[in-house]
Amino acid sequence: MLEIYNQRQTGIFRLYNGKQIKLGNSLSGHSDELNDFIKKNDYEKNIFLMIKYRDDNELLRSSIETWIRVKGYNCIIANQNNITHDVYNPIALSYVCKYGIAVFDEAEENSAYSPNVSYELGSMQSQFKKCLIIKHRGLRQYNFFDILKDDGKEYNAQTELKSIIQEWIDGLN
């Protein structure tokens, strides 16, 4: 019986604490990759950074990554960590991170916010994971859908953003 219990099962993601998560069809073939990721990156220290990917916010992304690492956490960014090698990669990453930070930065022409960030945040929230939601004050007039119903923090300058993130991480301990 013990031998049967200990066999690897397809579509089951096991955390180090024994918790098992049944994966949906799109991720069921990636349970080994998810488990390998956790072996290399401490689940308890993984923070999924959800942010737009564009050239003009590369410095912002890099700064946030540094702030997270200085606090002793792993900054997991979808375009830097590939588990599934397809469109489901951000969802896979949401499973291997205990925490998340969703940044809705300044609006671009014809796009107030990133639907990808909202989608990734929704995945984290559906798993009841603790997430910090940060919204640029320039987005105040936009009503986002219910995924942003939770209290979030607003920022205007990068120094404010750094302070918000560092205080939030300090509260995780």
Side-chain angles (χ1 to χ4, degrees):
M1 183 70 130
L2 188 57
E3 187 177 312
I4 292 170
Y5 177 77
N6 286 329
Q7 285 180 344
R8 282 189 175 243
Q9 295 174 330
T10 306
I12 300 293
F13 172 50
R14 287 189 177 85
L15 291 173
Y16 67 92
N17 63 3
K19 181 179 177 183
Q20 295 183 9
I21 300 169
K22 183 166 177 18
L23 301 171
N25 290 339
S26 59
L27 296 178
S28 65
H30 296 283
S31 57
D32 287 343
E33 291 94 335
L34 290 164
N35 286 307
D36 289 345
F37 191 93
I38 290 296
K39 288 176 187 171
K40 295 175 190 166
N41 302 281
D42 181 5
Y43 175 81
E44 293 289 324
K45 295 290 185 177
N46 290 344
I47 297 177
F48 186 22
L49 177 59
M50 299 159 275
I51 190 169
K52 283 183 190 176
Y53 303 126
R54 60 176 194 238
D55 291 341
D56 66 344
N57 79 346
E58 180 69 33
L59 181 60
L60 178 63
R61 253 191 341 271
S62 177
S63 296
I64 295 171
E65 185 175 8
T66 300
W67 304 333
I68 290 171
R69 292 194 191 286
V70 164
K71 289 292 188 175
Y73 286 80
N74 305 315
C75 183
I76 308 301
I77 302 174
N79 71 346
Q80 296 175 3
N81 297 275
N82 211 332
I83 293 175
T84 66
H85 303 281
D86 60 21
V87 298
Y88 297 107
N89 191 59
I91 303 307
L93 291 172
S94 74
Y95 279 99
V96 297
C97 294
K98 184 171 183 177
Y99 307 106
I101 297 176
V103 179
F104 295 92
D105 58 334
E106 295 180 76
E108 295 177 285
E109 188 176 335
N110 301 322
S111 177
Y113 66 94
S114 170
N116 290 346
V117 173
S118 298
Y119 179 68
E120 293 162 2
L121 176 59
S123 179
M124 293 290 287
Q125 288 178 329
S126 72
Q127 297 172 59
F128 304 102
K129 296 191 174 176
K130 187 172 185 169
C131 293
L132 172 62
I133 302 168
I134 308 169
K135 189 166 111 174
H136 191 276
R137 280 194 190 96
L139 300 175
R140 194 179 270 173
Q141 75 270 21
Y142 297 103
N143 280 332
F144 291 41
F145 45 92
D146 288 346
I147 203 166
L148 298 177
K149 67 182 177 0
D150 298 329
D151 288 335
K153 302 284 185 180
E154 287 187 354
Y155 79 100
N156 196 40
Q158 193 164 324
T159 54
E160 285 179 288
L161 185 60
K162 180 179 181 180
S163 176
I164 290 167
I165 289 172
Q166 289 181 332
E167 286 176 23
W168 181 79
I169 291 173
D170 287 344
L172 298 176
N173 299 325

